[in-house]
Amino acid sequence: MNRELSRRTLLATGMLAAAAAYLPRMAFAAEKTDVVVIGAGLAGLNAALLLAENGCRVTVLEAGRRIGGRVFTSTEIEGSPEHGASQIGRSYARVLDRCEALGVKLAQGSNIYDNYAISLDGQLIRPGQWENHPLNKTVGAERGVVPFALGSYYLAKTYPWNTMDGWASPEALANYDVSEADYLRRVGASSAAIDLVARGYGDGDLDAISALTLMQEMGRAKFEGKGVPTSAKQDRFQQASFLSYRILGGSSRLTDAMADALKGAVLTGKQVTAIDMTETGATVTCGDGSSYKADYVISALPFTALRKVAVTPALTGGQADAVKLMPYSGQNQVWLRVKAPYWEQDGIEGSMWTDGPVSMLRQSIAPDGSRDSAVAITSGVKGDALDRIPAKERGEYVLSELARMRPSTKGKLEVLGVFSWKLDPLIHGCRHGYHPGQMKAFRPTMAQPHARMHFAGEHTRLMEVGMESAMETGERAALEILDRI
Ligand SMILES: Cc1cc2nc3c(=O)[nH]c(=O)nc-3n(C[C@H](O)[C@H](O)[C@H](O)COP(=O)(O)OP(=O)(O)OC[C@H]3O[C@@H](n4cnc5c(N)ncnc54)[C@H](O)[C@@H]3O)c2cc1C
């Protein structure tokens, strides 16, 4: 085993300059390797690359035929839209370094910074009219904040810590792991403001999500956002997009390049069904009957997937509960061609937030300024309701709802394709979350090594969000194993 890169060196160099120099050794299916990594998303791929660069023999088992998990540039839908990650923040050091080391080219992020119109109670409102609109029942400073930015407005204003990981302290877990509705009441939001935030999510969601998990993201955005103009007219995703990057040719270029750099170590079509561990090693079994032996295992699976894998010895306590119970929200996407500029007909912003069955109509403005595609995005319980409509009918249903809320879109939009993360048969969701009280119950143990098994994946993040958090967790799991060898 080559341990030329010590843990300290890895951390100090940001790891990636050395990427090209340390070529992984090939692992053959039947051969015992040092580490089996399960899941070829960003977390699993980053863990595998770091281990390989440090001289370990690795095998990566991926259930799907496609590499990348929630990094997914569509090959089916015209225009190759991103079903998953697209925006790369300026502070994503690991992602940016990997892109550079692997020759993956970046461009300025797509522009979703434009304002959103508001469709509320059947009325179409320009964001500039909101403050004094009769439907605006919020009070004081809230009045100047558009409905879709209200949740972020309160979280940013009241974020109580000076550090990015303040949310992970025992004090935070004890006091802030309450529902977002309770938190908003605690910090003085009016009932009208809370109602508007809830209407964006769909009934019930606001009571079901821990405010602390939102504060983790807000903390990161606050530190990342230093120096970036922010406005009460944008939500945090719009703010983050202001100075972000995207990958030329699509985000999947990065995960494909990471898999290529592993030189045959990534095996697709390998759905893991069991992990058996003894004092001396682990055997990982796949649905096709094949099995792989290693000294250590990294599960880089979302807990929605891991809960279907038989683990021996079994997980216990808060860790077992986390795997079994952690909620994942979905995201329903209907991709649209814009046949004519409907916004010119009604003179209102092309993008739109709604309190109806579709969460938002988002227009991406291409780098050349063109606006010929859009996506209707629906999350939370509203997204779950759309998922129940058969895929063939879903697009037309969304078009009819958009036309009802915004007549100018009638006949000007055409469905290019639909996609739902909840219905993805391997991942079963878009992102992890916590119900109130679950962060306190799960966080202390859920990512702790169990026998010969280590945990990665965005749900085990500490300091980062999005793609960078997946990379962060892969790095942590790899370093844990390097420390044990
Ligand atoms: C709609 C959407 C938009 C997003 N936008 C952004 C953005 O703009 N910027 C940003 O930074 N982040 C964004 N993200 C977040 C980012 O995509 C994720 O944080 C990251 O890709 C998660 O990586 P992961 O490795 O943790 O998990 P995953 O990518 O989910 O990887 C898990 C892998 O495990 C595989 N698997 C499942 N079950 C098994 C099994 N039994 N055996 C073997 N393999 C299995 C899956 O097929 C998958 O490949 C977005 C995510 C979504 C869904």
Side-chain angles (χ1 to χ4, degrees):
M1 145 83 42
N2 174 357
R3 297 236 29 211
E4 289 159 63
L5 289 180
S6 69
R7 178 185 175 123
R8 189 169 306 156
T9 317
L10 281 165
L11 286 169
T13 58
M15 273 141 293
L16 301 166
Y22 291 85
L23 293 177
R25 281 189 276 151
M26 286 272 287
F28 297 96
E31 187 190 345
K32 185 179 175 203
T33 54
D34 297 312
V35 185
V36 166
V37 177
I38 311 173
L42 274 174
L45 291 169
N46 195 37
L49 274 172
L50 290 172
L51 289 164
E53 285 157 11
N54 207 17
C56 292
R57 288 170 312 150
V58 289
T59 302
V60 183
L61 302 176
E62 164 57 47
R65 293 286 167 200
R66 178 181 64 78
I67 302 288
R70 279 168 278 176
V71 172
F72 183 7
T73 310
S74 174
T75 48
E76 306 269 303
I77 299 179
E78 187 185 301
S80 307
E82 301 289 356
H83 289 313
S86 57
Q87 294 173 43
I88 296 174
R90 292 176 307 155
S91 65
Y92 283 15
R94 297 170 184 84
V95 174
L96 294 172
D97 280 352
R98 275 280 175 224
C99 287
E100 189 175 341
L102 297 171
V104 173
K105 300 258 178 307
L106 296 167
Q108 194 191 328
S110 15
N111 183 0
I112 55 165
Y113 188 62
D114 255 20
N115 273 330
Y116 283 45
I118 300 158
S119 168
L120 185 68
D121 285 347
Q123 290 195 44
L124 204 52
I125 305 165
R126 297 202 64 164
Q129 298 167 331
W130 173 246
E131 186 162 3
N132 298 311
H133 196 277
L135 285 179
N136 185 351
K137 310 282 187 220
T138 62
V139 294
E142 287 171 349
R143 293 193 62 78
V145 185
V146 287
F148 48 88
L150 270 167
S152 308
Y153 165 78
Y154 270 108
L155 287 168
K157 195 168 115 163
T158 60
Y159 183 79
W161 304 288
N162 293 325
T163 56
M164 278 189 314
D165 59 350
W167 63 272
S169 67
E171 173 262 337
L173 291 174
N175 296 313
Y176 291 91
D177 193 11
V178 298
S179 76
E180 189 184 5
D182 281 346
Y183 181 74
L184 289 173
R185 276 189 281 273
R186 189 195 286 181
V187 296
S190 69
S191 54
I194 296 171
D195 176 56
L196 283 171
V197 180
R199 285 218 239 170
Y201 282 175
D203 287 343
D205 277 12
L206 216 53
D207 291 312
I209 186 165
S210 167
L212 195 51
T213 189
L214 301 172
M215 289 164 93
Q216 177 189 19
E217 292 180 7
M218 182 46 69
R220 191 68 187 88
K222 263 193 107 155
F223 284 87
E224 170 143 355
K226 281 214 159 95
V228 179
T230 57
S231 151
K233 302 275 187 278
Q234 275 94 36
D235 75 1
R236 63 185 191 284
F237 296 109
Q238 286 173 290
Q239 289 169 10
S241 76
F242 188 62
L243 283 174
S244 64
Y245 303 100
R246 72 191 155 88
I247 292 174
L248 266 181
S251 302
S252 290
R253 291 250 167 119
L254 172 59
T255 40
D256 287 348
M258 290 168 84
D260 286 350
L262 282 159
K263 303 205 179 296
V266 184
L267 307 179
T268 56
K270 295 288 177 187
Q271 181 152 12
V272 170
T273 53
I275 303 167
D276 292 286
M277 292 171 284
T278 64
E279 296 269 295
T280 53
T283 304
V284 177
T285 307
C286 301
D288 63 3
S290 57
S291 63
Y292 298 83
K293 290 188 187 305
D295 290 334
Y296 298 98
V297 174
I298 293 178
S299 165
L301 303 181
F303 282 168
T304 42
L306 183 58
R307 66 184 61 140
K308 294 190 198 159
V309 177
V311 179
T312 309
L315 299 166
T316 57
Q319 191 167 40
D321 288 345
V323 173
K324 197 166 136 199
L325 301 172
M326 178 175 273
Y328 277 67
S329 59
Q331 191 192 86
N332 194 294
Q333 305 170 355
V334 176
W335 292 91
L336 302 164
R337 186 203 317 276
V338 178
K339 295 194 289 184
Y342 56 88
W343 57 93
E344 286 180 7
Q345 186 176 322
D346 60 17
I348 300 180
E349 285 74 4
S351 293
M352 177 174 79
W353 173 92
T354 100
D355 67 344
V358 177
S359 303
M360 64 170 85
L361 172 63
R362 190 170 80 192
Q363 210 186 31
S364 281
I365 305 170
D368 64 2
S370 58
R371 298 167 177 243
D372 47 16
S373 69
V375 57
I377 295 177
T378 310
S379 324
V381 291
K382 290 183 187 181
D384 297 345
L386 280 189
D387 284 347
R388 289 192 284 274
I389 301 175
K392 278 195 172 142
E393 295 158 32
R394 206 181 299 147
E396 291 306 318
Y397 170 76
V398 164
L399 280 191
S400 68
E401 282 301 312
L402 289 174
R404 183 182 60 76
M405 292 184 279
R406 185 159 184 176
S408 70
T409 62
K410 192 164 183 196
K412 308 236 173 47
L413 297 172
E414 181 187 336
V415 178
L416 292 173
V418 300
F419 183 79
S420 163
W421 279 106
K422 250 306 171 45
L423 301 180
D424 181 283
L426 297 174
I427 302 174
H428 313 282
C430 162
R431 49 192 268 144
H432 79 284
Y434 296 88
H435 292 316
Q438 285 186 335
M439 282 185 91
K440 193 158 68 179
F442 299 166
R443 281 288 316 181
T445 54
M446 62 177 240
Q448 292 293 314
H450 167 71
R452 295 189 156 257
M453 183 175 171
H454 293 251
F455 295 85
E458 57 89 33
H459 52 290
T460 69
R461 68 193 184 184
L462 182 61
M463 305 287 271
E464 307 294 344
V465 293
M467 298 167 84
E468 184 69 5
S469 73
M471 300 285 285
E472 172 196 32
T473 65
E475 176 184 307
R476 176 191 38 72
L479 293 176
E480 284 168 2
I481 289 178
L482 290 173
D483 268 355
R484 281 177 80 168
I485 293 175

